[in-house]
Each structure stands twice: as structure tokens, then as C-alpha cells.
């Protein structure tokens, strides 16, 4: 199910979305055929999957009805009515994402219409008040604190919950990980080259992405945001595991217990841009230059391997403790 | 690991002891979440000294989450607390967060959505935190029943759940704690109705004695000999009573001594309170530390 393609004569359009990333609740990574079954949350629709370089599967889209206030940067009141689209993705049988989005379009009429009108336009929220696209995009990104107006995060969480409650999962936790949020807003205007502004440091769990692109690039822009969310989650999770391992060694405990599942299960999943359309790859190239995603990843992975190697030396020498790092 | 903190009677010091155990566990290097499930009186914010959450938060607390699915806030103690010792935990400490209740929340009606909501919350916390301490209200509350329904569910079978029953070291409290666990509509009976294996559930329950008078304190050993002798007799009677009621040494997780700081100002006791200002007793902190460490000690939780 694709969102209605915005037409040029309507002027620039805003699509907003939120992605939540977490671990699949299972001790081991899931085999591909299990992932296929797990993601059949919408009966009758196919699960899209690709196997290389790492397996990646996307559930069918589903609809959620919305009738809510919309945040605007200028704090001008705005209201929308329509539907959001959401789906789940699973990467490497290990990482689960819930991804929800809505295209904000001006409504033809001031009055709220019958639901069948909105159901015929999946993924479109009609704005019944006057609103500037930039104002709405920035408002959505800024309003990530308490009481979000359009709560796409809650829709993403529901998708995650449904997938996690699949009966055949063992619901084990092989490693500790934070659930991260990526809020994104795309302003789509006639044929322009994609560009993005990414904020990573605002909050420990929240990242924001503002994209400018042409209307035809919408699915690619969303895919880019999901790929960014996945790799940002990997960096966050590995950093967390390393700080936990540092604490464990400082307190005289074995850090390998914490690091082994990370090296084993997460390190092979680092493939930035692998599932992203070439049109969007310049955005990844920018991130590789600054802040240097892959560079940071390599440093973290090397540190994990060093810690494991030190521990092996320590065990060879009869288990004497080495200075805490 | 989920730790459910409960007590039969109010005034056992369940919340203040639970908060201190969570704090000690974080000092021991693990990420810890403290969930205020005392819906009638969510006061954990006051114990952690978070001014905006003293009696719960105005919105997005646990109560709103269970009622309408609104994501609950997580307050990081290191940034939200007014107390310097809580803001300046050593770098080897884990994160300590409070998931507060709602101000004026009150108990609420049963709904079919509560159990799945609670399951997804506990599972989410389990992914992020090594230990989640869930403070249930006193007695056979709805929160306790909900906790038993949730932990009895298929989706929670891989998650280790343990129960701490707090009681004061008095005749009445020993009898009441026995009733809460073993009595009619007690934890074991209610657990069975929710699909728990009775033996496994029984093995996951331990008792914590609070406000225990230290008979080695100078007020006894250097006071009136008759009083000392009488106190020892009473203490031995209590030990016998506890053993007869299933609260003997084999099910004991720890004893928290009577400490004026806990009695008069329910607060977190930091090392500075013991070493610098010397308002609290070292034995109190040692007791919290030991209980916090025992939460995950397999030998402590072996089947009886």
C-alpha cells in the first residue's frame, strides 16, 4: 500500500514519520523463514524480503485512523484528519523496527468528511486549517517531548508489540539495548536533489532527520531514514555494551559475558546503505564524512575485540585481574 | 530481572527500602528501573527527591499508560534529583531511572488491555535494564494481582521474576506477612489461578525484615540488664514465630536495622550520609548493599 503520490500543483508537501528500533525478543537471531511468518501481521499481503548482504524483511503496511492536533513550529494551531501507514522491518533476524508515517495535505474542505473519504487515501492526513509545510515539518521534529500531537511513535510501538507477541518467539534477552527513536520530516518539492539535516545529540534516545527531496523520492527517503535508524541503534547499543563492560571490569566482573553476544550477533549487521536506493546514497556519504558512522563503528568493534583478547590473556595467566580501563 | 516489592501492611518501609535497594544495585554497576505501581499513593519521587514527582507526575505516569497506552516518562535520577549524592554517582554506577505513577491516580477498574500493556512494558524494560524494581502497594491490591497475571503469561516465561515481601520485625507483621503469601487469596493462591507453578512461585519469594532492633547496640548491652534479657527473650520468640510461619532463615533475604534516617525522613541513604554527615548507620547501608547483591545470587534463590 503506497501513500497517495502528491501532485506538483499542490505545492510543497510534508511527510512525517517516526521509527522505533529494538531487538527481536529471542535469544538467537531468527532464521529467514521464521521472520517471514512473524511479519505476516496483515493477512493476505506479502512480506517483502531480500537476503544480501544481510537479510532484510518488511511487513505489509497497515492503516491507523487519526483525528488529532498537529504540532507547528510557530505554535499556530493546526488540526488533521486521515490515516497513517505503518509497517515493521526485521534485519538479520535480530533487529526489529516499527515505522509509521503520514503525508500532510491541505484538505479541500473545512468540514470533517466521512471516514470512507479518508480510507480511500491511505497514509494521508488532511489538514483542515491553514498551515505552512515548513512550519509543520519543523513543528513535528521539535515536538518530541511530552504530549506529542500526532503520535506516530505510539503507532510504531504498537507494530513492534504485535510482532514481539508472536507465539514462536522465546522472549529471551541476549543483550541489553535501548529502544531508540528517529523522527523524520520530508518536505517534497519539484525535482530537487535530496538533502538532509540530521540531529543526533539532542537526547540519548531521540534523533531527528529533516529531508528535502522530490515527491517521487518519498519511498526512498523513508527507506534511508530506516537504514539510518538501524545503524544509529547499532552504534548506540554497542557503545552501551562497552560502557557496561567497562563497569563490569572496574567491579572485578567478567566483561566477556556482555561483549560476546554483541560481537556474535550485532557486528555482522553493519551494512550502511545496503538497502538504500542509489539516489539517497549521497546522504550516507555525508554521514560517513561527518560524524563518520563507519569510522566510529570500527573503533567500537576494535575496542570490543581488544577487551575480549585481554581477557583471554588474563585467563591464560591464571585469571589474575588486569588494571581496570 | 523483575523484582516485585510488596508487604501486607502499610508502614513497613517497603518503598523506602525498595528505593534504597534499587540505588545500591545501580551503584553495583547495573542499569536499574524503579516502577511506582503504588497507584493509590505514588511517592517514590519524594524518596528520590524529585520535586516535580513527589506525589507522582501530572501526566504520562504509569497509571495513564495502563489506562490509555500513553508512553510513560522515565526520570533519570542522575539529572532529575535534587540531592547532590544522587546526581553525583560514581562512574562505575549504572543508570537509575524512576518510572513514576500519576498524581491522584487511584486504583482503577479491570480491563482486558491491562495485562498485554503491562507485558509489553515489562518486556521493554527487561530489554534495557538489568533489574526493574516494581513497587506494589500494600496488601492484596489490584497491582499485585496484575503482576501475578502478567508474570504468569506465556510471553514472560523467560523473564526472571522475584518477589520481596517486606515486614517489620513484630508479631503482628510476621503473621500478616505469612497471610499475604500463604493465606487465603494470598500470593501463592492467586498465582495458581494465573497459571503459576506453585513450587516455582514459592521459590521466587523471599522476605525482608525492616526496622529490626539491634540487640548489640549500647542501649541494650550497656543499659538495664533486665531490659536486655527481656529483649533477647522477645527476639527469640519472634524467631520461632517466624520459622513456624514460613518466614525463617531459609526464606530470608535480609534484615534492615532500625535507623532514624529511615524512620523520620524516608530517603535514600548515600555513603556521604554515613561517612561525612554521619546521620545514618553503616549497618543500614551494608544491609541494603547485601540485599541488592543477593537479588541475582543463584544460591540465595535455590529451590527450598
Amino acid at each position: 500500500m503506497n501513500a497517495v503520490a502528491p501532485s506538483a500543483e499542490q505545492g510543497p508537501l510534508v511527510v512525517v514519520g517516526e521509527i522505533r528500533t529494538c531487538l527481536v525478543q529471542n535469544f538467537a537471531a531468527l532464521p529467514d523463514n521464521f521472520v517471514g511468518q512473524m511479519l505476516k501481521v496483515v493477512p493476505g499481503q506479502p512480506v517483502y524480503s531480500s537476503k544480501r548482504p544481510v537479510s532484510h524483511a518488511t511487513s505489509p503496511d497497515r492503516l491507523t485512523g487519526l483525528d488529532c492536533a498537529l504540532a507547528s513550529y510557530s505554535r499556530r494551531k493546526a488540526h488533521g484528519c486521515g490515516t497513517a501507514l505503518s509497517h515493521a522491518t526485521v534485519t538479520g533476524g535480530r533487529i526489529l523496527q516499527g515505522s509509521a508515517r503520514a503525508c500532510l495535505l491541505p484538505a479541500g474542505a473545512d468540514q470533517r468528511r466521512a471516514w470512507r473519504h479518508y480510507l480511500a487515501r491511505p497514509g494521508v492526513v488532511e489538514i483542515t486549517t491553514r498551515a505552512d509545510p515548513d512550519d509543520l515539518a519543523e513543528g513535528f521534529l521539535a515536538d518530541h517531548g511530552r504530549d506529542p500531537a500526532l503520535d506516530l511513535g505510539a503507532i510504531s510501538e504498537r507494530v513492534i508489540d504485535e510482532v514481539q507477541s508472536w507465539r514462536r518467539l522465546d522472549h529471551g534477552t541476549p543483550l541489553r539495548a535501548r529502544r531508540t527513536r528517529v523522527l523524520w520530516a520530508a518536505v517534497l518539492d519539484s525535482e530537487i536533489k535530496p538533502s538532509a539535516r540530521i540531529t543526533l545529540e539532542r537526547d540519548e534516545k531521540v534523533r531527528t532527520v529533516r529531508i528535502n527531496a522530490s515527491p517521487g523520492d518519498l519511498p526512498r527517503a523513508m527507506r534511508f531514514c530506516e537504514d539510518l535508524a538501524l545503524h544509529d541503534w547499532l552504534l548506540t547499543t554497542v557503545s552501551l555494551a562497552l560502557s557496561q563492560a567497562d563497569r563490569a571490569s572496574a567491579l572485578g566482573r567478567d566483561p566477556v559475558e556482555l561483549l560476546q553476544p554483541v560481537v556474535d550477533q550485532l557486528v555482522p549487521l553493519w551494512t550502511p546503505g545496503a538497502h538504500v536506493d542509489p539516489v539517497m546514497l549521497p546522504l550516507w556519504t555525508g554521514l560517513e564524512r561527518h560524524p563518520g558512522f563507519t569510522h566510529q563503528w570500527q573503533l567500537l568493534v576494535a575496542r570490543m575485540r581488544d577487551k575480549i583478547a585481554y581477557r583471554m590473556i588474563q585467563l591464560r595467566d591464571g585469571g589474575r585481574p588486569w588494571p581496570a580501563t | 530481572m523483575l523484582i516485585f516489592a510488596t508487604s501486607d501492611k502499610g508502614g513497613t518501609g517497603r518503598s523506602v527500602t525498595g528505593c534504597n535497594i534499587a540505588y545500591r544495585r545501580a551503584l553495583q554497576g547495573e542499569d536499574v528501573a524503579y516502577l511506582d505501581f503504588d497507584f493509590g499513593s505514588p511517592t517514590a519521587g519524594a524518596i528520590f527527591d524529585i520535586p516535580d514527582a513527589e506525589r507522582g507526575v501530572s501526566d504520562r505516569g504509569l497509571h495513564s499508560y495502563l489506562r490509555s497506552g500513553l508512553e510513560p516518562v522515565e526520570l533519570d535520577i542522575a539529572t532529575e534529583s535534587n540531592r547532590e549524592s544522587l546526581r553525583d554517582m560514581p562512574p562505575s554506577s549504572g543508570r537509575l531511572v524512576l518510572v513514576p505513577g500519576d498524581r491522584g491516580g487511584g486504583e482503577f477498574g479491570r480491563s482486558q488491555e491491562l495485562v498485554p500493556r503491562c507485558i509489553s512494558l515489562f518486556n521493554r524494560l527487561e530489554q534495557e535494564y538489568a533489574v526493574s524494581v516494581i513497587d506494589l502497594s500494600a496488601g492484596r491490591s489490584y497491582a499485585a494481582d496484575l503482576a501475578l497475571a502478567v508474570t504468569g503469561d506465556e510471553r514472560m516465561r523467560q523473564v526472571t521474576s522475584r518477589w520481596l515481601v517486606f515486614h517489620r520485625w513484630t508479631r503482628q507483621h510476621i503473621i500478616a506477612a505469612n497471610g499475604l503469601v500463604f493465606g487465603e487469596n494470598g500470593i501463592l493462591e492467586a498465582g495458581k489461578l494465573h497459571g503459576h507453578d506453585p513450587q516455582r512461585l514459592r521459590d521466587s519469594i523471599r522476605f525482608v525484615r525492616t526496622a529490626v532492633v539491634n540487640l548489640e547496640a549500647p542501649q541494650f548491652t550497656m543499659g538495664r540488664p533486665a531490659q536486655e534479657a527481656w529483649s533477647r527473650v522477645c527476639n527469640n520468640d519472634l524467631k520461632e514465630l517466624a520459622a513456624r510461619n514460613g518466614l525463617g532463615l531459609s526464606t530470608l533475604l535480609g534484615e534492615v536495622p532500625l535507623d532514624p534516617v529511615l524512620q523520620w525522613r524516608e530517603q535514600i541513604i548515600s555513603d556521604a550520609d554515613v561517612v561525612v554527615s554521619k546521620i545514618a548507620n553503616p549497618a543500614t547501608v551494608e544491609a541494603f548493599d547485601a540485599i541488592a547483591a543477593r537479588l541475582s545470587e543463584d544460591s540465595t534463590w535455590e529451590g527450598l
Side-chain angles (χ1 to χ4, degrees), chain B residues 92-143:
Chain B
S92 59
S93 314
R95 262 179 99 214
L96 177 60
V97 302
L98 167 66
V99 189
D102 289 86
R103 204 170 295 155
E107 294 282 334
F108 46 102
R110 282 154 204 255
S111 117
Q112 285 192 326
E113 290 188 359
L114 286 181
V115 171
R117 261 187 204 137
C118 221
I119 291 174
S120 57
L121 174 70
F122 288 170
N123 270 322
R124 186 162 65 77
L125 292 167
E126 182 67 11
Q127 285 205 329
E128 183 166 348
Y129 299 96
V131 175
S132 299
V133 178
I134 299 118
D135 183 13
L136 306 169
S137 41
R140 292 156 175 80
S141 64
Y142 182 53

Side-chain angles (χ1 to χ4, degrees), chain A residues 238-277:
Chain A
V238 169
S239 307
L240 187 73
L242 267 166
S243 65
Q244 283 168 346
D246 280 342
R247 269 148 42 194
S249 345
L251 296 160
R253 289 199 290 261
D254 187 353
V256 176
E257 261 172 51
L258 293 161
L259 296 176
Q260 184 268 332
V262 181
V263 172
D264 197 34
Q265 302 197 25
L266 300 187
V267 169
L269 302 182
W270 186 264
T271 51
H275 298 285
V276 170
D277 190 276

Side-chain angles (χ1 to χ4, degrees), chain A residues 20 22-23 25 27 146-148 151 161 165 167 170-171 176-179 205 244 247 251 253, chain B residues 28-29 31 59-60 71 73-74 92-95 120 123-124 126-130 154-155 158:
Chain A
R20 303 267 171 124
C22 63
L23 267 185
Q25 270 177 353
F27 271 118
R146 294 177 185 192
D147 286 330
D151 195 354
D161 273 349
S165 61
R167 288 275 157 207
D170 65 25
H171 298 105
R176 306 268 161 222
R178 250 165 231 177
R179 192 170 289 194
K205 295 183 187 177
Q244 283 168 346
R247 269 148 42 194
L251 296 160
R253 289 199 290 261
Chain B
Q28 289 166 7
D31 291 342
D59 64 341
R60 295 208 162 230
E71 243 172 288
V73 287
E74 290 178 21
S92 59
S93 314
R95 262 179 99 214
S120 57
N123 270 322
R124 186 162 65 77
E126 182 67 11
Q127 285 205 329
E128 183 166 348
Y129 299 96
E154 184 82 345
R155 275 182 71 185
Q158 286 285 348

Side-chain angles (χ1 to χ4, degrees), chain A residues 148-325:
Chain A
L150 170 62
D151 195 354
L152 293 175
I155 298 174
S156 303
E157 285 288 334
R158 266 207 295 281
V159 176
I160 288 178
D161 273 349
E162 259 171 72
V163 174
Q164 299 280 38
S165 61
W166 189 49
R167 288 275 157 207
R168 293 180 71 185
L169 291 179
D170 65 25
H171 298 105
T173 306
L175 52 104
R176 306 268 161 222
R178 250 165 231 177
R179 192 170 289 194
T180 54
R181 307 171 56 191
V182 167
L183 293 163
W184 61 274
V187 175
L188 306 168
D189 209 346
S190 52
E191 301 306 312
I192 53 163
K193 270 193 180 174
S195 66
R197 187 192 73 223
I198 293 156
T199 316
L200 298 170
E201 279 94 18
R202 197 148 78 187
D203 181 298
E204 272 183 2
K205 295 183 187 177
V206 185
R207 328 284 183 223
T208 62
V209 185
R210 160 73 195 257
I211 289 187
N212 292 313
S214 65
D217 283 336
L218 173 59
R220 300 180 190 104
M222 180 182 73
R223 190 64 213 97
F224 164 76
C225 291
E226 288 171 357
D227 199 45
L228 171 68
L230 182 106
H231 288 88
D232 174 68
W233 180 88
L234 279 169
L235 284 173
T236 307
T237 305
V238 169
S239 307
L240 187 73
L242 267 166
S243 65
Q244 283 168 346
D246 280 342
R247 269 148 42 194
S249 345
L251 296 160
R253 289 199 290 261
D254 187 353
V256 176
E257 261 172 51
L258 293 161
L259 296 176
Q260 184 268 332
V262 181
V263 172
D264 197 34
Q265 302 197 25
L266 300 187
V267 169
L269 302 182
W270 186 264
T271 51
H275 298 285
V276 170
D277 190 276
V279 175
M280 291 289 151
L281 280 182
L283 300 184
W284 256 122
T285 316
L287 282 171
E288 294 294 17
R289 260 198 311 273
H290 182 80
F293 265 49
T294 298
H295 181 59
Q296 187 185 3
W297 177 255
Q298 285 162 345
L299 291 174
L300 291 171
V301 171
R303 273 190 64 205
M304 285 199 292
R305 291 193 170 136
D306 283 349
K307 275 184 174 292
I308 294 172
Y310 284 143
R311 178 68 184 152
M312 294 304 112
I313 296 166
Q314 187 198 1
L315 286 173
R316 186 201 63 190
D317 294 345
R320 276 193 306 275
W322 77 97
T325 48

